[in-house]
Every structure is written in structure tokens, then in C-alpha cells.
Amino acid sequence: MKQIILILLAVFLFTTAFAEELSSPNGKMKLTFDLEKGVPVYQLALDGHPIIKPSKLGLELKDADDLMTGFSIENTLTTTFDETWKPVWGESSTIRNHYNELELTLKQASTQREMILRFRVFDDGLGFRYEFPEQNNLIYFVVKAEHSQFAMAGDHTAYWIPGDYDTQEYDYTTSKLSEIRALMESAITPNASQTPISETAVQTALMMKTDDGYYINLHEAALKDYSCMHLELDDKNMIFESVLTPDALGNMAYLQAPCSTPWRTIIAGKNAGDILLSNITLNLNEPCAYENTDWIKPVKYVGVWWEMITGKSTWSYTNLPSVKLGETDYSKTTPNGTHAANTKHVKEYIDFAAQHGFDAVLVEGWNEGWEDWFGKSKDYVFDFVTPYPDFDVDELQAYAKSKNVKLMMHHETSGSVRNYERHLDTAYQFMVDHSYNSVKSGYVGDIIPRGEYHYGQWMVNHYLYALKKAGDYKIMVNAHEAVRPTGLCRTYPNLIGNESARGTEYEAFGGNHPDHTTILPFTRLLGGPMDYTPGIFEPDVSQYNPNNNSHVNTTIARQLALYVTMYSPLQMAADLPETYNKHIDAFQFIKDVAIDWDKTLVLEAEPGDYITYARKAKNSDNWFVGRTNDEEKRTSEISFDFLDPDVKYIATVYADAKDAHYLTNPKAYEIRKYVVNSKSKLKQDCAPGGGYAISIIKAENKDELNGLKKL
């Protein structure tokens, strides 16, 4: 018996001899790494609670031996890093980047190839990636599959959208992991371009909650020169494995050493707010690439957009079924009478922007080619510089300048990426020549060259190419239908916005689920800001287009809250000026709310149910609070203890009226003013699909407080 015990002990010591452990700076997050029969395996725990159970790592290569097994540890290096950096814009004025790092150099005996696994353990999670140093036996190689596993410790509740190589524009489904397979078919709703992956594949950022109250998020950071990662669930063993987006040939990535993959991220916490406030995604990206960032500024804008989305107006100048750039003579065509991007109408938007202090006006549909732009697999679809006859570029440039308003460019590519790159320098120079300093780009429809996907390596490289090229011209970019953000806005802060999720436009295409904006901050927004385009005050879309019976699933009060809860340095007041003029008292909040912040707090949060943020405006004493609610009636209770002690403020509360409801009475709101200080508390009912917004302005003198009730 004694001999058996000694043998078992020897086996135990042998199998654990190479185990490496690394804890976070506060000691609560613990990484364990081991080689099991030559296979890299890691696990992660928070306060001893399993976040990731033992999970395998490795890459499968095309026409070469796989990088999955047969490894030994050649070298280990442990370091600590701690810095505080200042983003050009953001949810806080400073960000701490503090982690402990484990660098493992692995050697594959059969091929003599080396691979480095780099782990960074933060107080709120983990980032890891594969690195390939310069070596003779591994130079050019093609990734056939990445087999990074994320083994769950239970059948968690997940907030997910279907895995898809072409779109993220889905409503979220909330279910147990074990229920994903049965719900997948109903979760895949129609889109202009979509390529669903499988019955159990979902997209990152994936948000989960365990039965015992831990919150877990899986995502990636610094996606460059590689394809976008999805997650395939083995629903028998509750193990996620990475699924990359292929190219037209079915290959996942083409690499040349020395190189590295994007970071795979795991964020975890005992509170939902831990996920919302995590900066892991940004911290795993490189510092700002620009020495001078004076030209990068947050933007609050209006635009000729919602009237086209609802069908009230059109992008196209004519109703011709077919046009050819350079051949179709628009001066000889018959206008359709519904074209929105005309000089007179755009001036009305410029006037509205100037009157209310907005920075810019977005104009879509200004350029030739919109008659047959979509679904034709048309290569030469736009040239990005030739306006329709009713759009006077020079006149509008002068008019906007006289009103101290910028015009925002629109570049729709219709997925014809080769055509866009051919015209990119000319298009950006055209912007510079006509005083445009920001562009909304779009990638609607299937990608050309045909067979490529929106999220493959080829397109990932294009998005970054267009962004860096924009930087050469000092242009800010808001890319729609692009790959989801992964924190690249730290390196390239001229990426001031992305869509890359189901935004407000879908409210005119049948409506988003009321819980949508209670989930997006836990998922899509972890990678970077979203151009969600909030501010819809007319929920009945048929008021704009009698043929469109869509309903915006929100109250007006919640639309105001979205300017706080849906973080972006690029915020649009998306509704029509005439509608805002009917609710000018509520519109005041949109005018007042900041779009750049010194500090952000999460006062209440539960994914799928509600979120309440408090944010302090950049270089200001003013605070703003926003609460977004799901379809249930709920009561929010917050304290104002984040305010400076012994200072009095005026709080203007924009709230749902008692009888408000997102379906039956969405326009019912109340506006109340109070005197508040750091000891004040608020108990506020939130209607189904509702919420509230609060502006908290420091009182400059006692006279401002006269007649106001103390809260």
C-alpha cells in the first residue's frame, strides 16, 4: 500500500511539475496554466470560484503540422505592469492599466517550432494571445482553425445573438446555454447580408450570469490582420471554442512570423457593474498612434436620415431602375420629388443644428448612384464625389460655415470594397476641400469581391486601412456594418463610432425588443462606442410614412436616458426637427447632455433588466444620470452620494409619467426640478420600456434655488 501511495505521489508531482500560477494585482483573480500530455491548458478562478474550467489552447494549420500538442515549456517570464493613461475621449478622463503577465515560450519537439502564450491577469479578468517569434521552422503559415476553449462551470444564463460571418444586427436572446440550440432558428431574423454559422454558435462579446451570481463576459481585443472570432458551444460539456471567420477559400488567417493573434478576453465579477466598468478591452490595445489629436473631437449631430429610414423620404434622386456612373445624365432625368438630400432641405437641418448648438449635420443620399445601389452585386456603385443636381456642395459648405456647423459626409460602399479603396484618397481629399471632418461609412449587403465575409481577415484589414487613411487626412470615422469593435479606438481615436449591432434603425423595421438597450452595454459596447442614433420622440412610424406600421418600443424618457447609458463620443438627435419642436422641453436634455466624460459610475445594473449610469461631464462640475428599463415596470432607487459634499445642485428629472407605457402611452413624461446635494436620494418609477434622465447642474448662486423643492 505504501508503495502504491509513493507511485501515485510521483505521478502527481510529474503531472503538475510544469503548472504555472499567476494572480491579479489584488490577488483575487487567479490563472493556472499547465501542459497536459503536451497540450496547453489554462483555467481561471475569482476568489476561488471557477470562472473558466480547464480549457485547451492551440491552432490548427493548413498543410502543416498543427500547433496543438507535443509542447514543452522552454521558458517562463513573469512581469508586472502599472500605468495610468489619458484617452482622447472616453467614459473617464484617466484609465489605469494594471496587470501581472505570464509569458510562456512553448517548444514543439517534433517540429522544433516555438509558440508564445502571453497571459495578462487583471483584477477584473484575463487577456491571452498566441505569439509566433521569428524562427526558421515557422515563417508563412495559414490558420485552418483556432481551438481556444472557454469551459464553463455550469449551465449559465446567456445574453446572446447568433454566430454570423456577416452581421451582428440581431435582437438578443436570453436563455440558458443548454437552450441555445433549440432557440437558434427563431433568433436568426432576416438581414441584408447574413451567414449564420451553426445551431450553437454565438457572437462575442458574450455576456453570461451564473446561478450563484457571478457575471462573465467573453470577447476579443485588438483585432488586426486576423479574422473575427465567434464561439461554438459544445452544449453537452458546456465548452465554448473559438470559431474564426473564413475567407472565400475557407481559410481563417494568413500569417507571417513574427506576429501575434488578437487577445482573447475574459471579464468576470461579482457585480454586473464590474463588467460595465472594465477597461480590459482598451488596455489590451496599443497606445494612441497619433502625436497630435487636436483634430479629434466628440460630435453631437442631427441628420437627414430618419425620414429615409422610415420611408418618408428617399436616398435616390430618381426612380430609374438602372443607372451608370458617368453615363447617366441626371440633368435629363425626372426627379422623384421625395429626395431628402436637397440643398433647401439640408439648410433647414443646418438652421436647426445652429439654433440648438449641435456640431454637425449628417446628409445621406447626396451623391449619384442610389437608384440601384443595393442587391445588384454592382462593383462601380458610387464614386463618393459627384452630387445629385439638387445638392449644391459649395453652397452648403458656405452656408454651414456661416452657421458654425459642420457637414458630416456619408460613404455607402454597398459592400463593394475594391471600388471604395480605389476612390478613397479622392473621396477623403474631397472632404478636406469641402470642410467635412467626419464620415459615416457603410457596408450594406454582401461583400465584393464575392465570397468574402464582413468579418474575415481581408475585411478586417480593409476597415483598419480606411481608418488609418482617414487619419492621414485628419478625418474621423463612424463605420456601419463593419466588424465589431475590439478597443482599437485607443490606438486610433479617430474611430469615434461604429454601428456593428442592431441600432435604432430597426425600430422602423418592426422594432427592437424593449430589453435591447439593457444588454448592449454588457456586450457590443465593451469593444467601443456605438452610433446607436437615439432620440426618437415619435414612436408611431406611420406618422411619417402611412405604409410603415412599425412602432419604436420606448418611452420618450428612455430615449433621453440612452444619451447616458449608450456611451458614445458621437451622439445623434435622430428624429425630425419638427417633432423635436413639439417636445422642446424634453429636447432640452439632449441639448444639455455631455458626450465626453471625466468619470463614470454604475448605480444599478442587471443585464436584460435595467441599467442606471451616472457620468460627470469632462472638465465640468455637471453630472448626468440615465436609466434604461426593459418591458417590466420597475422602481429605481439611487443616491446622489457621488456629488461633491457641501455643494448644491439643480437636478432636472425627465421621467415617465405615471401612466406611461412603451406601447400604449409612450409620449407621457414629466419634468421636475429639485435642489440636490450628496445626501439626496431618489425613488423613481420606470414604466415598461421606459426610464429616466437627470441633468445635475452645479448652482452658481442662491437665487437659482428659489422655489425649488429639496430632494
Side-chain angles (χ1 to χ4, degrees):
M1 183 68 179
K2 182 177 181 181
Q3 184 178 7
I4 294 174
I5 292 174
L6 289 173
I7 291 173
L8 290 174
L9 179 60
V11 171
F12 175 78
L13 290 172
F14 177 80
T15 57
T16 60
F18 297 112
E20 298 283 344
E21 294 183 351
L22 185 70
S23 295
S24 60
N26 66 5
K28 295 184 177 182
M29 197 75 66
K30 182 179 178 182
L31 164 74
T32 302
F33 176 85
D34 203 353
L35 286 177
E36 295 184 359
K37 297 181 179 180
V39 177
V41 176
Y42 79 102
Q43 56 186 305
L44 185 68
L46 173 59
D47 290 329
H49 180 90
I51 300 300
I52 303 293
K53 293 171 63 179
S55 300
K56 298 177 182 179
L57 300 174
L59 295 174
E60 185 178 350
L61 304 186
K62 181 180 181 181
D63 301 327
D65 291 340
D66 299 330
L67 291 166
M68 297 177 62
T69 189
F71 288 107
S72 62
I73 297 178
E74 284 289 295
N75 189 40
T76 64
L77 178 64
T78 302
T79 56
T80 296
F81 186 82
D82 191 1
E83 70 168 358
T84 298
W85 57 280
K86 293 183 177 182
V88 176
W89 45 259
E91 296 180 82
S92 58
S93 56
T94 59
I95 294 176
R96 189 181 185 189
N97 186 12
H98 190 197
Y99 58 82
N100 292 329
E101 180 176 281
L102 174 62
E103 177 189 305
L104 291 156
T105 301
L106 307 181
K107 190 164 188 177
Q108 193 175 48
S110 62
T111 64
Q112 293 298 296
R113 297 177 301 184
E114 289 188 348
M115 179 175 72
I116 295 172
L117 290 175
R118 189 176 303 277
F119 297 91
R120 291 181 180 174
V121 188
F122 301 81
D123 289 343
D124 54 349
L126 170 69
F128 68 86
R129 72 180 181 187
Y130 304 85
E131 299 179 5
F132 309 97
E134 186 173 355
Q135 55 194 294
N136 293 329
N137 295 335
L138 187 67
I139 304 175
Y140 294 96
F141 56 104
V142 179
V143 177
K144 184 177 179 181
E146 179 186 323
H147 296 282
S148 299
Q149 292 186 344
F150 306 85
M152 299 295 100
D155 189 10
H156 305 331
T157 298
Y159 308 83
W160 57 275
I161 56 176
D164 195 300
Y165 297 144
D166 274 310
T167 186
Q168 282 195 288
E169 294 177 356
Y170 292 115
D171 258 320
Y172 281 87
T173 300
T174 301
S175 75
K176 290 291 189 179
L177 295 177
S178 59
E179 297 171 331
I180 290 176
R181 183 185 297 272
L183 295 171
M184 183 62 71
E185 184 177 357
S186 61
I188 299 174
T189 51
N191 195 271
S193 179
Q194 58 187 149
T195 310
I197 299 172
S198 75
E199 292 181 324
T200 57
V202 297
Q203 299 196 41
T204 71
L206 175 66
M207 184 67 197
M208 292 172 285
K209 184 180 180 181
T210 69
D211 288 343
D212 51 356
Y214 284 81
Y215 299 86
I216 303 172
N217 187 281
L218 305 180
H219 193 28
E220 62 180 325
L223 173 57
K224 295 182 291 185
D225 199 19
Y226 203 75
S227 64
C228 175
M229 180 183 74
H230 304 76
L231 299 170
E232 180 78 57
L233 176 65
D234 171 355
D235 50 4
K236 292 183 178 179
N237 298 300
M238 298 304 161
I239 299 175
F240 285 107
E241 187 166 295
S242 56
V243 176
L244 302 181
T245 305
D247 69 357
L249 300 177
N251 298 322
M252 304 301 176
Y254 301 82
L255 301 181
Q256 178 185 358
C259 59
S260 61
T261 70
W263 295 91
R264 281 61 185 99
T265 63
I266 303 156
I267 305 172
K270 192 65 174 157
N271 300 301
D274 297 339
I275 308 297
L276 297 174
L277 295 176
S278 176
N279 287 307
I280 284 179
T281 312
L282 289 174
N283 281 331
L284 288 171
N285 279 269
E286 295 298 317
C288 182
Y290 305 126
E291 291 185 11
N292 177 15
T293 59
D294 292 345
W295 51 280
I296 302 172
K297 299 181 184 299
V299 179
K300 192 184 292 187
Y301 71 107
V302 296
V304 187
W305 174 77
W306 186 242
E307 61 184 270
M308 287 108 83
I309 291 293
T310 59
K312 181 179 186 292
S313 305
T314 60
W315 284 268
S316 62
Y317 176 72
T318 78
N319 291 332
L320 292 174
S322 172
V323 298
K324 290 187 176 182
L325 299 185
E327 297 182 28
T328 301
D329 186 349
Y330 280 95
S331 67
K332 296 179 181 179
T333 62
T334 302
N336 56 25
T338 57
H339 182 231
N342 63 77
T343 302
K344 179 178 181 296
H345 194 43
V346 172
K347 283 184 176 181
E348 294 170 353
Y349 274 87
I350 293 173
D351 289 341
F352 183 81
Q355 178 185 353
H356 296 288
F358 284 77
D359 303 302
V361 174
L362 166 69
V363 185
E364 297 195 12
W366 67 277
N367 55 317
E368 291 183 356
W370 285 93
E371 284 75 10
D372 61 352
W373 72 282
F374 174 71
K376 308 299 189 297
S377 195
K378 188 176 182 180
D379 187 20
Y380 188 28
V381 58
F382 296 114
D383 69 5
F384 312 101
V385 296
T386 305
Y388 279 127
D390 61 347
F391 187 88
D392 191 318
V393 175
D394 294 327
E395 182 178 343
L396 286 170
Q397 176 188 359
Y399 191 77
K401 183 178 180 180
S402 72
K403 298 286 185 174
N404 196 29
V405 172
K406 286 283 188 180
L407 287 173
M408 184 181 294
M409 179 55 71
H410 182 236
H411 289 166
E412 177 54 61
T413 69
S414 191
S416 185
V417 178
R418 182 181 68 165
N419 179 61
Y420 191 37
E421 290 190 353
R422 280 197 302 248
H423 289 87
L424 205 50
D425 279 294
T426 301
Y428 283 159
Q429 187 60 54
F430 180 88
M431 289 179 59
V432 172
D433 293 343
H434 294 90
S435 303
Y436 292 80
N437 67 341
S438 60
V439 59
K440 173 184 175 181
S441 57
Y443 297 87
V444 176
D446 295 338
I447 297 299
I448 301 174
R450 300 164 186 89
E452 294 293 338
Y453 299 113
H454 281 76
Y455 304 152
Q457 182 184 24
W458 193 85
M459 283 302 297
V460 166
N461 289 345
H462 162 77
Y463 301 132
L464 185 55
Y465 172 79
L467 178 63
K468 293 167 71 173
K469 178 69 71 173
D472 293 341
Y473 290 86
K474 296 187 176 180
I475 289 171
M476 300 180 288
V477 175
N478 167 28
H480 282 225
E481 295 88 30
V483 71
R484 60 174 177 262
T486 57
L488 285 174
C489 56
R490 178 189 180 185
T491 311
Y492 305 100
N494 60 319
L495 183 61
I496 57 169
N498 278 108
E499 184 189 39
S500 306
R502 190 176 171 113
T504 296
E505 65 181 351
Y506 277 85
E507 299 283 15
F509 304 158
N512 293 330
H513 291 168
D515 67 358
H516 193 55
T517 56
T518 69
I519 297 174
L520 282 173
F522 289 98
T523 53
R524 160 64 184 78
L525 269 71
L526 289 184
M530 180 178 178
D531 183 28
Y532 190 72
T533 60
I536 304 302
F537 281 14
E538 178 49 76
D540 182 3
V541 176
S542 69
Q543 295 298 311
Y544 297 146
N545 176 9
N547 297 317
N548 188 340
N549 294 316
S550 297
H551 181 85
V552 184
N553 293 321
T554 182
T555 65
I556 285 180
R558 186 174 75 164
Q559 286 296 303
L560 299 180
L562 296 179
Y563 289 90
V564 182
T565 65
M566 294 291 292
Y567 168 68
S568 180
L570 176 76
Q571 289 284 19
M572 184 183 196
D575 215 329
L576 277 58
E578 54 262 38
T579 299
Y580 288 134
N581 287 331
K582 296 176 184 177
H583 306 278
I584 204 68
D585 53 351
F587 185 65
Q588 186 63 44
F589 182 83
I590 300 178
K591 294 172 60 174
D592 292 341
V593 68
I595 50 176
D596 198 13
W597 308 101
D598 267 339
K599 188 174 183 179
T600 290
L601 304 172
V602 177
L603 305 184
E604 304 167 303
E606 185 62 37
D609 292 342
Y610 54 84
I611 300 176
T612 310
Y613 276 104
R615 303 189 195 266
K616 184 176 182 291
K618 180 71 71 68
N619 300 321
S620 170
D621 295 316
N622 300 334
W623 286 77
F624 296 86
V625 175
R627 158 72 175 232
T628 181
N629 206 42
D630 67 353
E631 72 279 2
E632 301 292 330
K633 183 177 182 179
R634 301 181 185 277
T635 301
S636 169
E637 297 186 46
I638 63 171
S639 169
F640 290 78
D641 55 6
F642 51 84
L643 298 176
D644 288 341
D646 304 319
V647 175
K648 292 183 178 180
Y649 300 80
I650 299 173
T652 305
V653 181
Y654 302 79
D656 295 317
K658 291 183 179 180
D659 57 347
H661 190 287
Y662 76 97
L663 288 177
T664 60
N665 199 14
K667 296 182 183 179
Y669 61 88
E670 299 174 345
I671 302 175
R672 305 185 302 272
K673 287 192 175 185
Y674 300 99
V675 178
V676 298
N677 58 30
S678 62
K679 297 180 180 179
S680 299
K681 298 181 185 298
L682 174 69
K683 185 175 182 180
Q684 179 64 52
D685 288 338
C686 300
Y692 62 82
I694 310 174
S695 63
I696 307 170
I697 311 300
K698 182 180 178 181
E700 298 297 334
N701 57 70
K702 293 182 179 180
D703 293 340
E704 295 180 86
L705 309 178
N706 291 339
L708 296 181
K709 182 180 177 181
K710 293 182 180 179
L711 190 64

